[in-house]
Amino acid sequence: MKKNKVMNEIVSLCKRRGYIFQSSEIYGGLNAIWDSGPLGVELKNNIKRWWLYNMVQLRPDVEGLDSAILMHPRVWEASGHIENFTDPLIECRNCHKRFRDDEITKDRCPSCGAQELTEPRMFNLMFKTFIGPVESEDNTIFLRPETAQGIYVNYQNVMVATRQKFPFGIAQIGKAFRNEISPGNFIFRSREFEQMELQFFVNPDDGDKWFDYWREQRSQWYLSLGIDQDKIHWHEHGKNELAHYALAAYDIEFDFPFGRKELEGVHNRGNFDLSRHQEFSGKKITARFTDDNAEGGFIEKIPFIIETSGGIDRCMLAVLTDAYTVEPEVSNPSKMRTVLKMHPRLSPIKVGVFPLVKKEGMPEVAREIAQELRREFMVFYDEKDSIGRRYRRQDEAGTPFCVTVDGQTLDDKTVTIRERDTLVQVRSKIEEIAPMIRNYIETWERNKGIE
Ligand code: GAP
């Protein structure tokens, strides 16, 4: 299938099933801003939960944080974003479309082909607003373009409150905003998005060691999402690609239908951020590290920071595009079924519950089963249309199990359970449904070869 066609189908499935909607659609939409629908919220929350479980809950050396989106404007001077967070913008004098410098080839406008382009001018990607009622230069503040700075300015607070010792990390999930010149590829590059970032504070002597360690950890985490490992790649930043704060950087990339693109950055930020905050705030940010050669056995240094910075929306898009499958129906190979074969841990709905027909007491029993299962899982109850159509709707939603109540259920309290990927149907007792769903995540991972 053509790449554009696949993306168009995924975008339309996302709207149809309630994963992603265009923001303010009834007003014609707002460019590069997206809303998560009911299934999108669940998928995002499942990704976030899995990230927090691995990055915070399982680690005695990492703490969580939720810092504010709005920060003191001096933060962005110190961080270098006011000066450096810019893209070179070029405008076509013929069609008046705007592009990033790197999108222009052969001095031609990518849209109309005219060779009437302006010189590049630097455009800052931060959104501005005002704090308080007076809209003045002095009251200008910014929507954060990364969550990282909220961690840096809080790192001593967290260290004191938790009595962490180096090396230790702070993990945060939150919204970030960038006024991108050329957003696109659905939710891949948008102007409002969510990041999941870890900042790991280390002795500068150990910077390289922890940089390698976190690269390994992060690539393992992406594999644990069940996405095709052949689609995951590393890209090392050359000297001229490095962000203004980075000493070294690698991107984890993914083969999206529109090409190989960045999912997450792993950066050795050195002491850039903390030294700048020390300089701009006038507050001491150095820390004591043991050093056998130093007098007194320790030395004051600014810690190095190893950062892992991923986008939740991009991760969600990777999961959706990897899971998207169109295959012949087993019972009728001339017909195709569309199914999202995603990791059941990430599936927004874990089980669909249906009465075979809307009579003979079946809806009542099915509703009771659904309500009981809701105590532990996200459940979708459906009694509308033929059973085949109901199965297909859940296939498109990525739901791993469908439970059907039929005439036999009323006699012996058994139901049929249909599995999404294999389409195998088994007859089970009602009380076996929950344990089967619980065990299924492990079985699915074993079959996929995930450790
Ligand atoms: N704190 C470092 C930092 O923000 P980055 O490489 O600019 O680094 C990190 O961004 C991640 O945030 C990217 O790998 C990507 O997943 C996500 N991201 C960045 N810009 C984005 C955008 N406009 N839309 C969606 N996700 C974006």
Side-chain angles (χ1 to χ4, degrees):
M1 214 189 302
K2 285 232 172 71
K3 288 171 181 174
N4 277 351
K5 187 162 180 270
V6 172
M7 254 337 273
N8 289 344
E9 286 184 6
I10 292 171
V11 173
S12 118
L13 182 149
C14 282
K15 180 170 180 195
R16 189 166 68 241
R17 291 276 77 91
Y19 271 100
I20 295 152
F21 306 128
Q22 169 90 64
S23 160
S24 321
E25 191 184 315
I26 59 167
Y27 289 97
L30 187 59
N31 192 13
I33 312 278
W34 302 93
D35 297 337
S36 294
L39 297 195
V41 181
E42 291 303 319
L43 173 54
K44 265 190 171 182
N45 283 343
N46 291 340
I47 293 172
K48 291 183 203 176
R49 258 195 288 273
W50 185 234
W51 187 83
L52 288 170
Y53 173 71
N54 284 277
M55 301 293 276
V56 182
Q57 186 174 334
L58 289 184
R59 300 196 62 107
D61 56 355
V62 177
E63 306 289 344
L65 184 76
D66 183 13
S67 65
I69 287 171
L70 302 177
M71 299 182 74
H72 196 291
R74 292 276 285 163
V75 167
W76 307 111
E77 283 176 46
S79 70
H81 281 82
I82 296 214
E83 196 184 336
N84 298 310
F85 198 57
T86 50
D87 269 347
L89 178 147
I90 291 175
E91 187 171 333
C92 172
R93 288 198 182 93
N94 183 43
C95 69
H96 299 291
K97 292 220 167 102
R98 290 171 178 161
F99 305 93
R100 282 196 320 267
D101 196 16
D102 62 354
E103 294 176 294
I104 308 280
T105 42
K106 298 189 184 147
D107 293 335
R108 280 188 188 282
C109 169
S111 180
C112 71
Q115 282 185 303
E116 296 171 51
L117 302 172
T118 60
E119 285 302 307
R121 92 181 147 80
M122 291 319 250
F123 171 78
N124 195 295
L125 303 184
M126 283 197 292
F127 280 99
K128 286 180 190 170
T129 187
F130 302 98
I131 191 153
V134 182
E135 297 190 4
S136 69
E137 179 103 335
D138 286 349
N139 292 336
T140 303
I141 56 167
F142 301 91
L143 301 193
R144 68 180 176 199
E146 60 170 10
T147 71
Q149 300 301 326
I151 295 183
Y152 304 149
V153 299
N154 270 303
Y155 112 89
Q156 285 171 316
N157 285 339
V158 172
M159 197 161 71
V160 170
T162 60
R163 292 184 289 124
Q164 283 284 359
K165 302 263 180 295
F166 294 100
F168 79 98
I170 304 177
Q172 162 158 253
I173 289 179
K175 289 258 183 179
F177 304 82
R178 296 183 188 179
N179 200 0
E180 299 280 0
I181 297 171
S182 309
N185 285 327
F186 195 27
I187 56 171
F188 176 81
R189 191 183 302 283
S190 50
R191 293 188 166 123
E192 175 179 339
F193 54 97
E194 259 184 302
Q195 290 186 315
M196 40 191 177
E197 296 200 306
L198 168 82
Q199 311 298 327
F200 203 70
F201 300 85
V202 304
N203 184 333
D205 297 344
D206 300 333
D208 292 343
K209 183 181 92 183
W210 285 107
F211 184 50
D212 292 345
Y213 170 85
W214 279 109
R215 280 176 48 208
E216 172 62 21
Q217 291 291 309
R218 294 307 299 148
S219 75
Q220 285 304 323
W221 186 82
Y222 280 101
L223 295 181
S224 77
L225 297 179
I227 50 185
D228 182 353
Q229 68 179 66
D230 293 338
K231 292 185 188 157
I232 298 175
H233 309 274
W234 281 110
H235 165 72
E236 182 179 6
H237 282 214
K239 283 272 171 286
N240 55 355
E241 278 176 279
L242 287 174
H244 63 273
Y245 49 73
L247 293 178
Y250 277 85
D251 289 340
I252 298 177
E253 297 185 326
F254 180 78
D255 291 327
F256 290 97
F258 44 84
R260 186 172 294 176
K261 304 270 179 201
E262 175 187 341
L263 261 185
E264 167 156 336
V266 183
H267 311 124
N268 180 348
R269 293 181 75 133
N271 64 13
F272 175 83
D273 302 273
L274 293 185
S275 1
R276 296 272 294 190
H277 284 305
Q278 177 162 276
E279 181 189 335
F280 280 69
S281 70
K283 300 269 167 15
K284 186 172 154 262
I285 286 188
T286 53
R288 282 158 61 129
F289 291 98
T290 50
D291 187 331
D292 294 342
N293 300 323
E295 216 183 294
F298 66 84
I299 186 166
E300 292 266 336
K301 287 191 272 191
I302 293 182
F304 268 27
I305 292 169
I306 309 302
E307 169 185 68
T308 74
S309 175
I312 292 168
D313 312 78
R314 284 191 191 178
C315 182
M316 181 164 157
L317 190 58
V319 168
L320 287 167
T321 56
D322 185 62
Y324 183 77
T325 311
V326 181
E327 61 185 20
E329 283 188 11
V330 176
S331 54
N332 181 0
S334 64
K335 279 181 122 184
M336 304 299 275
R337 78 161 181 150
T338 302
V339 50
L340 290 183
K341 293 187 174 179
M342 69 173 77
H343 194 311
R345 178 180 291 114
L346 302 181
S347 294
I349 299 166
K350 297 292 185 264
V351 54
V353 180
F354 316 142
L356 183 62
V357 287
K358 244 179 4 183
K359 54 186 182 193
E360 293 160 21
M362 291 180 213
E364 288 76 9
V365 176
R367 273 201 211 97
E368 223 175 90
I369 293 173
Q371 194 54 28
E372 184 59 28
L373 289 171
R374 279 193 186 104
R375 289 145 67 98
E376 195 175 340
F377 308 106
M378 285 303 289
V379 177
F380 190 81
Y381 174 82
D382 194 358
E383 56 181 29
K384 200 162 176 287
D385 299 323
S386 71
I387 195 78
R389 291 185 79 159
R390 284 180 264 168
Y391 282 148
R392 278 193 287 280
R393 282 200 285 265
Q394 291 311 307
D395 286 344
E396 280 199 344
T399 306
F401 285 114
C402 290
V403 165
T404 303
V405 167
D406 54 21
Q408 198 181 325
T409 312
L410 309 176
D411 295 334
D412 65 5
K413 299 208 176 341
T414 63
V415 290
T416 48
I417 307 183
R418 168 194 184 264
E419 199 260 328
R420 176 195 69 197
D421 298 352
T422 58
L423 296 178
V424 166
Q425 298 206 18
V426 292
R427 187 113 210 144
S428 289
K429 294 213 168 75
I430 291 171
E431 63 266 25
E432 283 164 3
I433 305 170
M436 188 179 275
I437 302 172
R438 258 178 243 135
N439 295 336
Y440 181 67
I441 288 183
E442 262 181 39
T443 317
W444 195 89
E445 287 189 333
R446 233 188 349 266
N447 292 343
K448 273 264 182 184
I450 300 172
E451 285 171 26

